[in-house]
Amino acid sequence: MAKNNIPEAPPSANLIQSGTVIIGDIESNGNIRIDGTLNGTVSAGGKVILGSTGSVEGKINCANADIEGLVNGVIIVKELLSLKATAVVTGDILVSKLSIEPGARFTGSCRMDSVTEEKTSEYLKEKELAY
């Protein structure tokens, strides 16, 4: 355990392999790689990597993210979000920095700003009212 009873981030990424389906929420202080399917929320203190075979229906909230697969929902990234050439994102993005490779597809809204807890709460409230 680290100071203040917060568990330390694991030294390697958590992996959800292709063919795995998770219905529910995932929380980690470290990194997560998703090559399977998640219907729910993923919250990571580190990086979320969504592989080309991966899909998320729900919300991604993390420090950094590399998206190669499919996302239908809300993406909140405190630092850098990279949409790779194979990425297909439908939904809303709140991010500090955004990188989009040629070939990536994005349908939705994007707000680029410093991402704080307060701004995240305001953003999610706005989105709830819109749906």
Side-chain angles (χ1 to χ4, degrees), residues 105-123:
R105 293 186 290 165
F106 168 56
T107 304
S109 68
C110 179
R111 182 178 299 170
M112 290 180 67
D113 199 352
S114 60
V115 179
T116 63
E117 291 296 321
E118 183 179 321
K119 287 181 182 177
T120 299
S121 294
E122 289 173 13
Y123 185 75

Side-chain angles (χ1 to χ4, degrees), residues 50-56 66-71 84 86-89:
L50 183 65
S52 60
T53 61
S55 68
V56 173
D66 287 348
I67 307 296
E68 298 175 21
L70 308 173
V71 177
K84 304 299 184 180
T86 56
V88 179
V89 176

Side-chain angles (χ1 to χ4, degrees), residues 31 38 46 50 57 80 82 85 94 97-99 102 104-105 121:
N31 301 327
L38 171 69
L50 183 65
E57 177 89 25
L80 174 64
S82 296
L94 174 62
K97 298 176 193 165
L98 178 63
S99 169
R105 293 186 290 165
S121 294

